[in-house]
């Protein structure tokens, strides 16, 4: 049975897109929405209050990085990920599988799980469906993800089928581990009490042994093979009553045409009563294309990573802050953007900070991209509410693509 602490309602629909509300123990997210990624429990260079001021409703953290450093048990002893990071709103952790499969030296994938060598110190670790649930239970995000087997784009249909079927078996083990910890509580560990006068913490679970309510999301896999995606979605729906379902294995090198076709197939195969989370997709045009195909939640490191590289999102496509034309430009990056970089500084100063590799500049550029994506999502929700989403998204895409440097 789906967890009673989670709920999803929709009100307005335009084509496949919908306006909705995803309720979690740490608050309700109005969807569709983009989740900034806090890899190490921080959206790189940006404080959580700045992330909130940018309009973010929900953030994502990476279980792999936090498991290795400072350790999920340490974070739990410090009050859990919400208290540790001072993020009070809804939060999601990925399983860490994506990072492990991305390591150049991850060892053989076995039915039991994956062995890998830490990128920090070379020590060997095992990821199993049970251990990723235990790790994510210790971290304490609202939404946690199953362990799944990932393949690079272009994998053969046989390899894709084997990985998809293994992901379903791993989902069963994740669900069993999730239910067991929910029923029996977590292994006891000592809480590290805060001394008088310590900084105020975000919400935290007072009874440390009790696992906070968490929703486990399964992940639809199957590459760009329609029959495998359908089988994956059907297998997931047979295996539980979920609070939400993720779509994985996209934005890994496939064509946009294949990505869109896969999203349309998933839209048809998944119940419209559940939120759909498209993993690792976060370029502005991909968000709009995803919403048009019924996606409710997105995450991606692209806005921060590109921002720190000097690539900025604008309504007229991506642009480079280092362009010579910005040397003497007194205007903002985007005229109506509410981010600190756009409201306080001009392109000339931001370009100077970027060229000088000043931390402030890199931070401001990343924060601009995050703010801009969240604004796109707000605009999309307003259009959904007004019943004009389809026309809005047509016009938005046409303008973005008319000038984008690689559209
Ligand atoms: Zn801005």
């Amino acid at each position: 049975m789906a967890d009673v602490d989670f709920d999803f309602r929709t009100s307005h629909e335009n084509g496949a897109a919908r306006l909705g509300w995803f309720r979690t123990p740490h608050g309700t997210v109005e969807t569709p929405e983009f989740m900034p990624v806090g890899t190490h429990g921080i959206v790189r260079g940006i404080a959580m209050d700045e992330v909130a001021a940018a309009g973010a409703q929900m953030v994502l953290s990476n279980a792999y990085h936090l498991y290795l450093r400072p350790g999920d048990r340490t974070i739990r002893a410090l009050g859990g990920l919400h208290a540790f990071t001072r993020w009070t709103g809804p939060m999601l952790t990925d399983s860490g599988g994506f990072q492990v499969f991305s390591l150049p030296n991850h060892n053989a994938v076995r039915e039991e799980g994956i062995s890998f060598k830490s990128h920090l110190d070379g020590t060997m670790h095992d990821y199993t469906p049970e251990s990723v649930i235990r790790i994510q239970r210790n971290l304490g995000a609202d939404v946690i993800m199953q362990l799944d087997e990932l393949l690079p784009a272009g994998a053969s249909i046989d390899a894709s089928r084997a990985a998809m079927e293994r992901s379903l078996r791993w989902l069963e083990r994740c669900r069993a581990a999730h239910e067991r910890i929910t029923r029996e509580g977590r292994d006891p560990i000592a809480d590290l009490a805060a001394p008088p006068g310590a900084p105020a913490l975000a919400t935290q679970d007072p009874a440390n042994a009790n696992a906070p309510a968490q929703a486990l999301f399964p992940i639809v896999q199957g590459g760009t093979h329609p029959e495998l995606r359908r089988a994956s979605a059907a297998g997931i729906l047979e295996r539980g009553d979920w609070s939400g379902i993720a779509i994985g294995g996209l934005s890994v090198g496939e064509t946009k045409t294949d990505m869109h076709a896969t999203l349309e197939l998933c839209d048809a195969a998944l119940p419209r009563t559940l939120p759909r989370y498209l993993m690792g997709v976060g370029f502005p045009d991909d968000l709009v294309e995803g919403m048009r195909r019924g996606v409710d939640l997105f995450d991606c490191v692209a806005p921060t990573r590109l921002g720190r590289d000097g690539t900025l999102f604008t309504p007229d496509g991506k642009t480079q802050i280092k362009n010579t034309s910005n040397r003497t430009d007194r205007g903002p990056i985007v005229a109506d953007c509410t981010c600190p970089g756009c409201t306080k500084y001009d392109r000339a100063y931001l370009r100077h900070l970027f060229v000088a590799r000043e931390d402030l500049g890199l931070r401001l550029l990343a924060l601009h991209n995050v703010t801009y994506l969240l604004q796109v999502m707000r605009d999309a929700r307003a259009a959904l509410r007004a019943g004009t989403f389809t026309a809005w998204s047509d016009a938005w895409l046409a303008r973005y693509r008319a000038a984008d440097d690689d559209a």
Side-chain angles (χ1 to χ4, degrees):
M1 199 188 130
D3 200 308
V4 292
D5 295 286
F6 295 83
D7 186 32
F8 184 65
R9 303 280 168 90
T10 57
S11 59
H12 299 66
E13 298 199 357
N14 253 214
R18 64 264 188 85
L19 181 69
W21 290 268
F22 178 45
R23 180 166 59 82
T24 80
H26 285 87
T28 297
V29 181
E30 194 175 53
T31 62
E33 181 60 313
F34 172 78
M35 301 179 282
V37 178
T39 300
H40 298 108
I42 174 171
V43 179
R44 184 133 189 233
I46 306 174
M48 284 299 188
D49 55 345
E50 295 176 300
V51 176
Q57 303 180 77
M58 185 166 186
V59 299
L60 181 147
S61 283
N62 292 115
Y64 166 79
H65 291 285
L66 296 172
Y67 159 72
L68 290 179
R69 185 173 61 192
D72 52 290
R73 289 171 64 84
T74 301
I75 288 177
R76 185 178 141 198
L78 290 164
L81 197 50
H82 282 91
F84 189 54
T85 62
R86 272 63 169 173
W87 174 260
T88 58
M91 192 186 289
L92 181 149
T93 47
D94 64 7
S95 69
F98 179 81
Q99 281 74 28
V100 168
F101 277 100
S102 304
L103 291 172
N105 49 0
H106 73 259
N107 278 14
V109 184
R110 304 174 317 277
E111 186 62 23
E112 177 59 20
I114 319 158
S115 301
F116 63 96
K117 196 182 268 191
S118 161
H119 75 287
L120 295 177
D121 60 8
T123 51
M124 291 304 297
H125 299 262
D126 289 315
Y127 254 10
T128 65
E130 292 77 18
S131 74
V132 302
I133 294 298
R134 196 169 60 242
I135 291 165
Q136 294 184 88
R137 284 302 230 175
N138 283 336
L139 295 174
D142 299 272
V143 176
I144 62 178
M145 304 302 300
Q146 77 157 107
L147 183 66
D148 56 347
E149 182 173 0
L150 303 174
L151 295 175
S156 74
I157 189 160
D158 289 342
S160 297
R161 179 179 292 108
M164 181 275 286
E165 289 173 350
R166 174 171 279 160
S167 295
L168 286 175
R169 293 193 296 275
W170 283 359
L171 173 62
E172 288 202 356
R173 286 168 56 192
C174 284
R175 187 190 60 180
H178 177 65
E179 287 174 355
R180 185 182 55 74
I181 300 176
T182 301
R183 194 171 57 243
E184 299 172 5
R186 299 182 290 190
D187 300 334
I189 61 172
D191 210 355
L192 293 167
L201 299 182
T203 57
Q204 81 189 84
D205 180 14
N208 193 38
N210 292 335
Q214 294 180 305
L216 171 66
F217 277 21
I219 305 172
V220 179
Q221 286 291 359
T224 51
H225 307 288
E227 66 274 35
L228 298 188
R229 287 280 176 181
R230 276 189 211 100
S232 177
I236 284 168
L237 296 174
E238 280 166 16
R239 283 168 172 79
D241 185 6
W242 311 102
S243 297
I245 296 180
I247 301 166
L250 289 176
S251 204
V252 293
E254 77 283 355
T255 65
K256 296 276 184 194
T257 308
D258 281 345
M259 187 205 280
H260 297 163
T262 304
L263 289 178
E264 283 160 22
L265 185 154
C266 290
D267 177 43
L270 297 175
R272 290 188 63 77
T273 49
L274 296 179
R276 294 89 168 265
Y277 158 40
L278 175 54
M279 304 180 76
V281 173
F283 283 83
D285 48 336
D286 290 333
L287 299 184
V288 175
E289 295 281 13
M291 288 188 275
R292 282 157 70 102
R293 292 167 176 83
V295 174
D296 306 293
L297 292 167
F298 302 84
D299 83 284
C300 194
V301 293
T304 37
R305 186 169 291 168
L306 266 61
R308 297 178 67 89
D309 266 349
T311 300
L312 300 172
F313 297 148
T314 83
D316 296 299
K318 296 190 291 299
T319 188
Q320 304 296 322
I321 191 66
K322 68 173 186 292
N323 287 348
T324 327
S325 60
N326 289 329
R327 268 188 71 190
T328 53
D329 190 332
R330 301 289 305 272
I333 304 163
V334 172
D336 53 358
C337 178
T338 56
C339 84
C342 290
T343 52
K344 291 185 194 160
Y345 304 106
D346 53 31
R347 286 182 175 226
Y349 185 59
L350 293 171
R351 179 185 186 278
H352 164 70
L353 292 179
F354 176 75
V355 172
R357 305 302 295 168
E358 282 290 340
D359 286 346
L360 175 64
L362 309 185
R363 257 170 44 70
L364 289 173
L365 298 177
L367 185 52
H368 163 77
N369 279 350
V370 169
T371 308
Y372 177 70
L373 286 192
L374 293 167
Q375 185 61 49
V376 170
M377 303 308 284
R378 263 197 303 278
D379 291 347
R381 293 195 298 269
L384 277 164
R385 197 174 280 112
T388 56
F389 177 82
T390 305
W392 173 87
S393 61
D394 284 344
W396 191 99
L397 287 167
R399 179 177 171 189
Y400 186 86
R401 288 182 174 149
D404 191 40
D405 51 14
D406 60 10

